[in-house]
Amino acid sequence: FGSSLFRHELSVGLSAYPTELRVPMARSGVLISFLPLVVAFDNGAPHSKLPPLGWSSWVSLGEDWPGPHAKHPAFDFCDEASVKASIDAFFEVGLYDVGYRHFHLDDCWADLERNASGYLQPERDHFPRGLEPIIQYAHKKGLVFGLYTCAGTHTCVGQRPGSKGHWDQDAAAFAEWGVDWVKMDWCYTDGMKPADTYPLMATALNKTGRPIHFNMCEWGKDEPWTWGPLIAQSWRATGDHVGTWKSTKDIIAQRTAIPTNLGGTPFAWNDMDMLETGNYKQAAHANGKEGNMTATEYKTEFSMWAIFASPLVVTTPILDCSSGTCAPSITALQKEILLNTDIIAINQDITPAGRLLSPSSLEASGLKVYGRALGDGTVAVALYNPDDEAQDGSVDFTLLGWHGDTQASVRDLWQHKDLGLFKGRYPADGHLVRVEAHATTVLRLTPQKLETIRAHVAA
């Protein structure tokens, strides 16, 4: 395919991998073969083959929930009552129905002291019964339960005990409690090296015999995409994300810079950090930053996380407690974005992550075209405009590895609208598509040959 979108023969210079993956590839819209790609670590952790879809407590929970004197969400807070109420709300607001399964507690749950035997313990006044009852409750509901720890001596925000020197103890505790996903941060790690340290926890987790998804979080500083596939199922590829346009634009730029052949594949995902989708005053403020993006910018956030095959883990209150009594709720904007199954579908695929197709770098002027070949032979395309004014552009089908006379139907995934059949490019010759400032138009292109095959099979 030359330099086409479908050329993803991946080699990261690592000598061996625990599991070999084969991912379907397409030519001219027709699925024709399974080519060997980057091999990643499948340890059996649930809902890890595809990018995790889920929710995090980071800016989402408050005291005295579910009422009648419930307080506003507080940064770095969780307790049994707020967690249980949010597990129930996870279903009520529609997250489960569209595929979300991960439920994560960030730096909020641990006590300031280890117990007398040196083991981590949940904050005693917030989880007087321990964590097992609430984890079991999540499991009975069909959710994957995640916890946070840190590689250094203390956690980043709460100054709780870190896992340094306690790898086996902490892993054993997580396994005993029934944890399915562990994030390990990188604060208070003077003199330590990520590539030497993270394997210690990975080994400890796997020794427990419980399949646990390991999410590394050293902010992409030590290029974890080059060594992470040996030991983890996902890793932070970028710095921290907050709900501002500057942060979102910076994260997209950082992720774009990762080499295409290391962009991500099943059980090995580059994590762009938590989504802040739709967060305004109703959420706590991560790192002192109140979410202030426009609806357009929040759609860009979700669009670009999706096409890059990043985990889609949103941190937002899913209970409205403003009256003093909590009720399951997300805003209309959040429903429009977070429950968009068309966008979710281009994220939840086994093919390698999307990449920048045109121009050759983000520094070049004009509209940016990203693409991801999908397992059914279609292609997802994102027209991303990071500029402060509207831009016009088009998609030449040769960018996708197709012949110049290929015909394809085009669907707009935000408008949920089929736009028609186009030959060689979108839009038709003599026309351009306008993308407003900070906006992203997301399309799914289906070559006519593939449609013909589908029609024949259906008949």
Side-chain angles (χ1 to χ4, degrees):
F1 300 108
S3 59
S4 78
L5 172 62
F6 302 109
R7 190 168 187 173
H8 283 286
E9 299 90 349
L10 306 187
S11 172
V12 298
L14 297 175
S15 59
Y17 291 92
T19 304
E20 183 176 353
L21 298 177
R22 292 182 178 272
V23 179
M25 307 300 285
R27 181 173 185 174
S28 296
V30 181
L31 195 64
I32 60 168
S33 65
F34 287 78
L35 303 179
L37 301 177
V38 157
V39 187
F41 189 7
D42 172 16
N43 66 353
H47 296 287
S48 299
K49 180 178 182 178
L50 304 180
L53 270 172
W55 174 94
S56 170
S57 66
W58 188 233
V59 298
S60 308
L61 303 176
E63 297 180 51
D64 299 324
W65 288 17
H69 303 293
K71 296 181 174 62
H72 190 275
F75 184 42
D76 188 39
F77 175 85
C78 59
D79 64 6
E80 183 174 346
S82 63
V83 171
K84 184 176 184 295
S86 293
I87 289 173
D88 292 337
F90 193 103
F91 294 82
E92 295 294 329
V93 301
L95 293 177
Y96 190 90
D97 289 342
V98 297
Y100 292 80
R101 293 294 183 269
H102 282 252
F103 186 98
H104 300 164
L105 298 187
D106 209 273
D107 186 2
C108 66
W109 64 270
D111 198 87
L112 291 175
E113 298 178 350
R114 292 177 175 269
N115 68 17
S117 300
Y119 284 87
L120 288 173
Q121 59 185 340
E123 193 165 354
R124 287 163 284 183
D125 58 339
H126 287 182
F127 298 94
R129 300 191 300 153
L131 282 173
E132 293 97 324
I134 200 66
I135 294 176
Q136 291 172 11
Y137 186 72
H139 285 164
K140 288 178 181 178
K141 293 268 199 172
L143 299 181
V144 169
F145 199 94
L147 287 182
Y148 166 103
T149 188
C150 194
T153 56
H154 295 85
T155 64
C156 293
V157 174
Q159 300 292 297
R160 299 171 174 89
S163 288
K164 182 180 180 180
H166 294 269
W167 317 114
D168 288 336
Q169 277 187 311
D170 292 356
F174 297 146
E176 181 180 347
W177 296 339
V179 173
D180 307 296
W181 178 96
V182 169
K183 168 185 174 181
M184 192 162 84
D185 221 334
W186 191 248
C187 293
Y188 302 100
T189 53
D190 289 349
M192 300 166 65
K193 295 182 178 179
D196 295 334
T197 303
Y198 279 100
L200 301 176
M201 179 56 89
T203 299
L205 290 171
N206 289 308
K207 280 196 313 186
T208 69
R210 181 174 180 81
I212 298 176
H213 181 124
F214 189 32
N215 174 261
M216 307 186 303
C217 183
E218 49 79 85
W219 313 299
K221 293 183 179 297
D222 208 26
E223 299 186 347
W225 45 86
T226 64
W227 48 271
L230 283 169
I231 60 172
Q233 290 67 54
S234 61
W235 45 84
R236 279 282 297 283
T238 67
D240 287 340
H241 175 238
V242 296
T244 67
W245 174 243
K246 181 182 184 305
S247 173
T248 297
K249 183 178 176 179
D250 286 349
I251 295 294
I252 294 169
Q254 290 172 46
R255 176 59 187 83
T256 300
I258 294 174
T260 297
N261 63 330
L262 303 177
T265 200
F267 307 106
W269 302 112
N270 284 289
D271 187 349
M272 296 165 70
D273 198 11
M274 289 173 279
L275 296 160
E276 289 268 352
T277 310
N279 282 340
Y280 296 107
K281 293 184 180 298
Q282 88 278 21
H285 305 152
N287 301 323
K289 301 289 187 181
E290 179 181 326
N292 62 6
M293 290 201 291
T294 65
T296 294
E297 291 163 349
Y298 276 126
K299 287 180 181 178
T300 284
E301 174 200 52
F302 200 69
S303 300
M304 297 307 292
W305 266 238
I307 204 161
F308 273 131
S310 170
L312 300 180
V313 177
V314 64
T315 180
T316 192
I318 49 179
L319 289 150
D320 180 357
C321 303
S322 57
S323 69
T325 299
C326 299
S329 178
I330 56 177
T331 66
L333 175 63
Q334 290 175 320
K335 289 178 182 178
E336 180 186 2
I337 297 174
L338 296 173
L339 308 185
N340 185 331
T341 54
D342 280 343
I343 300 291
I344 290 171
I346 69 170
N347 175 264
Q348 296 291 287
D349 205 298
I350 62 171
T351 58
R355 65 180 178 93
L356 180 64
L357 301 179
S358 176
S360 58
S361 74
L362 275 181
E363 286 70 34
S365 61
L367 204 58
K368 311 302 185 276
V369 181
Y370 290 76
R372 185 185 188 191
L374 302 175
D376 65 353
T378 64
V379 178
V381 172
L383 305 174
Y384 166 55
N385 181 11
D387 297 340
D388 295 334
E389 57 186 31
Q391 296 284 347
D392 297 327
S394 62
V395 182
D396 191 309
F397 290 174
T398 59
L399 279 177
L400 314 180
W402 296 346
H403 296 299
D405 61 354
T406 298
Q407 292 187 330
S409 61
V410 178
R411 179 173 175 82
D412 188 306
L413 303 190
W414 282 114
Q415 295 184 37
H416 306 287
K417 181 180 179 182
D418 294 323
L419 303 179
L421 189 66
F422 296 84
K423 182 177 180 179
R425 70 191 296 274
Y426 171 80
D429 286 341
H431 298 273
L432 295 172
V433 60
R434 169 150 293 196
V435 180
E436 298 301 326
H438 304 179
T440 301
T441 295
V442 186
L443 309 170
R444 189 161 184 161
L445 282 65
T446 304
Q448 192 174 37
K449 287 183 180 179
L450 182 59
E451 291 186 327
T452 301
I453 291 172
R454 287 176 174 171
H456 178 74
V457 171

